[in-house]
């Protein structure tokens, strides 16, 4: 009798704790469900349908036809190639530049607080404003060509050449995003015990050997985070490409990215189902690349 009463009391306490726990979690669950889970479910629904928006919203189930059309659409492969090229160049470059800047600031140079502010200014500047500034620099009558003309060197159509246009966006993004990751690296550098460097110095290690054998290995988890965030962010390139090309991905699809293609499919061609299919293609690529990166970095991160 006493054992049964104790069991009922424990069960009641267990239920009370669970109800209280879920009660505290309810706001978070509602927010995640409303803004993450439901949009994903709706995107899956759209990718399997042909959506008519004019004259009333109508859904026509077409199965995996939208995904089949991805294989036959040349612009999808052009956008994916441009995006992968962009990621391949920008992510390593901004990571290396961020590490160099962080090591420089952490070395105790004079006026390092002012250098931090100067380095970080591009990150806090609006992306649209930065894009317009660089468009002015790359313009036929812009700063870069004026500088070349001053040096009596030939000028160039930087925005109109398909082989150069995407590289211009790369340079801008490396310059504007590296300072953000610099701050992350700087915080991690300050957590590395100074005694490690002192011991290495006593053993005869020069500054370069200390960076190779102490700094870089100790920053392994931070580097994984920086690379993962960089990959996710660069795969989602949209605003700079949109402003540079006036939304068409030109010249000759040279600045067409996957996210810009999604925008064109949904807002220009009103193909919501096809746009959702492209979005799932992008999500799959990001997940696969992130898993490969995690595999390369090993499990000890």
């Amino acid at each position: 009798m006493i054992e049964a009463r104790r069991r009922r009391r424990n069960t009641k306490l267990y239920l009370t704790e669970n109800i209280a726990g879920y009660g505290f979690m309810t706001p978070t669950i509602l927010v995640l469900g409303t803004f993450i889970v439901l949009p994903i479910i709706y995107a899956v629904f759209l990718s399997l349908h042909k959506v008519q928006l004019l004259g009333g919203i109508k859904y026509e189930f077409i199965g995996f036809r939208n995904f089949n059309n991805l294989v036959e659409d040349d612009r999808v492969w052009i956008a994916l190639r441009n995006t992968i090229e962009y990621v391949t160049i920008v992510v390593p470059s901004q990571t290396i530049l961020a590490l160099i800047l962080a090591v420089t600031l952490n070395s105790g140079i004079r006026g390092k607080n002012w250098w931090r502010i100067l380095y970080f200014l591009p990150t806090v500047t609006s992306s649209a404003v930065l894009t317009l500034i660089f468009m002015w620099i790359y313009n036929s009558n812009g700063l870069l060509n004026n500088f070349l003309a001053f040096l009596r060197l030939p000028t160039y159509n930087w925005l109109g050449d398909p082989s150069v246009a995407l590289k211009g966006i790369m340079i801008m993004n490396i310059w504007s995003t590296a300072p953000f990751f610099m701050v992350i690296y700087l915080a991690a550098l300050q957590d590395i015990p100074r005694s490690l460097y002192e011991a290495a110095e006593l053993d005869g290690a020069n500054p370069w050997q200390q960076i190779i054998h102490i700094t870089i290995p100790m920053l392994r988890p931070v580097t994984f985070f920086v690379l993962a965030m960089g990959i996710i962010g660069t795969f989602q390139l949209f605003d700079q490409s949109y402003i540079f090309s006036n939304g068409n991905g030109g010249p000759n699809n040279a600045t067409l990215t996957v996210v810009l293609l999604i925008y064109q499919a949904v807002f220009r061609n009103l193909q919501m189902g096809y746009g959702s299919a492209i979005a799932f293609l992008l999500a799959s690529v990001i997940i696969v690349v992130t898993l490969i990166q995690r595999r390369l970095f090993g499990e000890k991160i």
Side-chain angles (χ1 to χ4, degrees):
M1 186 69 178
I2 297 176
E3 185 65 27
R5 189 178 301 170
R6 182 182 302 167
R7 191 178 298 113
R8 285 196 300 269
R9 185 168 61 251
N10 291 338
T11 303
K12 184 178 179 180
L13 180 62
Y14 177 77
L15 291 175
T16 302
E17 290 178 350
N18 279 344
I19 292 172
Y22 282 112
F24 284 115
M25 292 171 58
T26 297
T28 302
I29 293 174
L30 289 176
V31 171
L32 292 177
T34 302
F35 295 103
I36 296 180
V37 178
L38 289 180
I40 292 175
I41 295 174
Y42 186 55
V44 173
F45 173 80
L46 288 176
S47 66
L48 301 176
H49 289 76
K50 180 180 179 181
V51 185
Q52 177 183 322
L53 297 176
L54 300 178
I57 300 178
K58 295 181 181 179
Y59 301 97
E60 177 187 349
F61 181 76
I62 59 173
F64 292 97
R65 195 183 306 169
N66 284 323
F67 293 95
N68 293 334
N69 292 337
L70 293 177
V71 182
E72 303 171 359
D73 191 346
D74 292 336
R75 298 188 80 236
V76 171
W77 298 107
I78 292 173
L80 190 59
R81 184 191 64 210
N82 290 341
T83 306
I84 291 176
E85 179 186 353
Y86 177 84
V87 172
T88 304
I89 295 176
V90 171
V91 173
S93 300
Q94 69 184 12
T95 302
I96 294 172
L97 179 58
L99 180 58
I100 292 173
L101 294 176
V103 171
T104 303
L105 289 177
N106 195 54
S107 62
I109 61 173
R110 295 181 59 182
K112 62 180 180 181
N113 290 333
W114 290 105
W115 284 112
R116 289 180 186 178
I117 296 173
L118 184 62
Y119 287 158
F120 200 69
L121 278 178
T123 300
V124 298
T125 306
S126 168
S127 176
V129 173
L130 284 177
T131 305
L132 293 174
I133 292 173
F134 271 81
M135 285 185 67
W136 168 68
I137 294 174
Y138 293 142
N139 195 279
S140 298
N141 298 320
L143 181 63
L144 183 55
N145 275 343
N146 287 335
F147 179 71
L148 292 175
F150 176 77
L151 298 177
R152 300 186 182 279
L153 296 174
T155 59
Y156 198 76
N157 184 12
W158 305 99
L159 297 178
D161 189 345
S163 63
V164 176
L166 186 62
K167 275 71 175 180
I169 300 178
M170 292 178 185
I171 294 173
M172 181 191 68
N173 275 274
I174 293 170
W175 176 75
S176 61
T177 55
F180 171 75
F181 297 118
M182 174 200 71
V183 174
I184 298 174
Y185 269 128
L186 187 59
L189 283 171
Q190 293 174 353
D191 284 339
I192 299 178
R194 185 62 194 167
S195 58
L196 295 177
Y197 294 101
E198 294 173 353
E201 190 174 353
L202 289 175
D203 290 338
N206 57 42
W208 176 249
Q209 291 173 327
Q210 293 176 26
I211 292 175
I212 295 297
H213 297 289
I214 298 177
T215 304
I216 294 179
M218 293 294 290
L219 293 177
R220 187 184 182 95
V222 178
T223 301
F224 171 80
F225 172 79
V226 168
L227 289 175
M229 295 300 295
I231 289 171
I232 294 172
T234 49
F235 264 113
Q236 297 176 359
L237 173 67
F238 169 72
D239 50 349
Q240 297 95 334
S241 178
Y242 179 89
I243 298 173
F244 259 83
S245 64
N246 198 24
N248 57 31
N252 195 24
N253 292 325
T255 59
L256 181 66
T257 63
V258 178
V259 179
L260 180 57
L261 188 63
I262 295 172
Y263 167 84
Q264 293 178 352
V266 175
F267 293 100
R268 288 191 175 181
N269 304 328
L270 301 181
Q271 297 175 331
M272 295 188 66
Y274 189 57
S276 298
I278 301 174
F280 278 109
L281 171 65
L282 176 62
S284 302
V285 172
I286 292 175
I287 291 171
V288 170
V289 172
T290 305
L291 291 176
I292 293 174
Q293 176 193 339
R294 181 177 177 85
R295 181 86 176 194
L296 293 175
F297 270 74
E299 297 299 327
K300 296 180 179 180
I301 55 174

